[in-house]
Amino acid sequence: MDWLDALRGIAALVVVFEHSSYSYLAELRRELVPEFNTGRYGVLVFFLVSGYIIPASLERRGDVRAFWIGRVFRIYPLWAVVVAAALAADLAGLAQARGQGGAAGFVAHLTLLQELLGTPSLLIVLWTLSYEMAFYLVVVALFAVRQHRRSGAVAVTFACLAAVSAAVGLALPVSALSGAVGTVPLIALASVALVVAIGCGCAGSPVPRVFGGVLGGVLALVLVASNGTVPVWEGLVVLAVMFLGTAVHRAENGQSTWRYAACTAVVVVACAVGSAYWHGDGAHSTRRGWILAFLLAVLTFGIGLAARRLRTPRWLVGLGTISYSVYLLHPVLLAVSDGTIGRGHPHGPLLVPAFYAVLLPLCVLTHRWVEAPARGWGRELVRRGGATGSGPARAAPAAAPVARPRCERAPVAELDGAEPQRGHGETR
């Protein structure tokens, strides 16, 4: 699975470039982004990798409880450290934290769904974790009702819905559901629903397990379709892209055919490009930048897949291993840089290598002292608890053991990317 690490490493570097260009390469950014949206490219590569590996992780275990424990210990420890660092930098006057939303905002961030709950993300990159969490919930829902093998059909469904919504001009306001019912009530309702969904989904009995899975899936779909900060079509494309990654995984492991996966890819690509063209944000050049980023992300994933049996450069594997740290830490360092030396420094291009020289060693340390131990604790907790049977693994055999230990190193909730920040005047 080295090729997946390599893709993560490439995506991480592109995302860091996207965000650091605000501070150090503003002129280059103004020329580049209208033609090629670098943030979208990095994020879509991450989403494809996530779609490839996350359902395999669940099916290999055949246990929803073990899956959620793995996700919690993979995401939250470093998340907590970085969020605490961002808040500390804000209190020390070294950086300005983005909107926090008080107690309700804190709860929204704990669910990881804050971007779908009408709450601005504290860190510029956390929006992607909201879509990752939505993907997890849908994956668990399909697993609970024994429809998890239909990845291609699910990807095509989301892609076609995206195209239809774009073609008919469906354009909901940003966080439309929050505006209708109120942000705080929605956060409270969604938080309770999420806890119930995960709790019931981890049960050993089939009835609460199915109820929890379906509840979580419905919650995710409602939020993505009606309360995102991106257009409806783009939220649906994100889900389609992740399930396209799953369809490719199934073809590679003999659970489906390559022809079926290729047809799925054609439909998803056509619908995504058509959606962006029909219902972009009004500027043709911006549409062009999104479409080029999308096509290159799919091409990059395809090249990685085709070259998966070739030797992967060790530095790319290493970069992929620490990609989650790179993803979360770089906006904090950029915020400190902006708060101390300011943006638009006359020697900005010379500061780029200095920024990487600080960022990458720090990410090696956080991976070693935060990420790796936390994953070990999660595995130990699963081992001690044993399998609960909280999944249809006995009735529907889990996927072939495709994920070597390496692929568990950095499954991609582990994302990052840049998203135009609706209403906040900056890229996410």
Side-chain angles (χ1 to χ4, degrees):
M1 295 294 171
D2 282 355
W3 68 281
L4 293 175
D5 282 325
L7 292 182
R8 277 192 288 260
I10 292 169
L13 287 179
V14 172
V15 164
V16 174
F17 167 80
E18 159 72 16
H19 293 146
S20 63
S21 65
Y22 280 111
S23 300
Y24 308 128
L25 302 167
E27 292 185 6
L28 174 62
R29 175 183 175 77
R30 281 193 293 270
E31 296 294 327
L32 176 63
V33 170
E35 304 299 327
F36 174 47
N37 191 321
T38 51
R40 281 295 194 289
Y41 168 82
V43 139
L44 289 167
V45 171
F46 270 125
F47 281 141
L48 281 164
V49 174
S50 187
Y52 183 95
I53 208 64
I54 293 299
S57 176
L58 171 60
E59 294 168 28
R60 181 173 56 82
R61 293 183 176 109
D63 184 355
V64 174
R65 173 183 169 275
F67 170 78
W68 281 120
I69 290 175
R71 293 292 82 206
V72 166
F73 280 89
R74 180 67 184 99
I75 296 172
Y76 278 101
L78 183 63
W79 175 92
V81 169
V82 174
V83 167
L87 294 175
D90 180 61
L91 290 174
L94 298 176
Q96 184 175 0
R98 303 164 86 235
Q100 301 170 33
F106 175 74
V107 172
H109 276 77
L110 283 180
T111 68
L112 298 183
L113 292 169
Q114 75 286 336
E115 197 69 22
L116 298 172
L117 292 175
T119 302
S121 295
L122 177 65
L123 294 176
I124 200 171
V125 297
L126 293 182
W127 74 273
T128 53
L129 291 185
S130 294
Y131 285 90
E132 281 279 324
M133 176 58 83
F135 177 62
Y136 299 162
L137 291 170
V138 175
V139 166
V140 170
L142 293 172
F143 188 70
V145 298
R146 303 184 183 184
Q147 299 298 312
H148 51 289
R149 298 293 180 91
R150 300 180 180 273
S151 308
V154 174
V156 167
T157 299
F158 282 128
C160 290
L161 289 174
V164 170
S165 69
V168 301
L170 178 60
L172 296 176
V174 171
S175 302
L177 189 58
S178 294
V181 304
T183 299
V184 173
L186 181 62
I187 290 173
L189 180 62
S191 300
V192 171
L194 182 65
V195 171
V196 171
I198 295 177
C200 290
C202 294
S205 301
V207 173
R209 185 170 65 231
V210 172
F211 170 77
V214 171
L215 176 62
V218 169
L219 173 66
L221 294 178
V222 169
L223 292 178
V224 169
S226 65
N227 212 54
T229 53
V230 299
V232 175
W233 67 265
E234 190 167 6
L236 294 172
V237 164
V238 165
L239 293 179
V241 164
M242 287 194 272
F243 278 104
L244 172 59
T246 310
V248 171
H249 175 272
R250 297 203 186 284
E252 185 181 7
N253 290 278
Q255 300 170 12
S256 126
T257 65
W258 280 111
R259 180 178 180 181
Y260 184 72
C263 291
T264 300
V266 168
V267 174
V268 170
V269 169
C271 290
V273 171
S275 299
Y277 184 80
W278 292 326
H279 196 63
D281 56 11
H284 180 71
S285 60
T286 302
R287 277 207 214 73
R288 187 166 62 245
W290 192 98
I291 291 172
L292 180 59
F294 178 86
L295 293 176
L296 287 180
V298 174
L299 179 62
T300 300
F301 185 79
I303 292 173
L305 180 68
R308 64 191 180 280
R309 291 184 174 87
L310 301 180
R311 183 176 180 82
T312 305
R314 303 312 300 170
W315 68 272
L316 268 182
V317 176
L319 184 59
T321 302
I322 64 171
S323 60
Y324 186 40
S325 285
V326 173
Y327 161 65
L328 285 187
L329 282 172
H330 81 269
V332 178
L333 289 183
L334 284 173
V336 172
S337 173
D338 291 345
T340 52
I341 66 175
R343 289 188 177 184
H345 194 279
H347 301 296
L350 298 178
L351 294 175
V352 173
F355 176 75
Y356 281 97
V358 174
L359 173 66
L360 295 180
L362 184 59
C363 291
V364 171
L365 294 177
T366 55
H367 176 267
R368 178 175 180 179
W369 297 108
V370 181
E371 291 187 68
R375 287 202 307 276
W377 299 335
R379 287 192 293 268
E380 179 64 16
L381 182 59
V382 170
R383 187 188 67 80
R384 289 184 178 183
T388 64
S390 56
R394 293 187 180 89
V402 299
R404 301 174 195 157
R406 177 176 290 263
C407 78
E408 283 297 299
R409 214 175 351 177
V412 163
E414 284 89 311
L415 293 190
D416 181 11
E419 178 84 20
Q421 184 164 356
R422 305 316 196 251
H424 300 292
E426 210 172 32
T427 315
R428 343 205 14 188

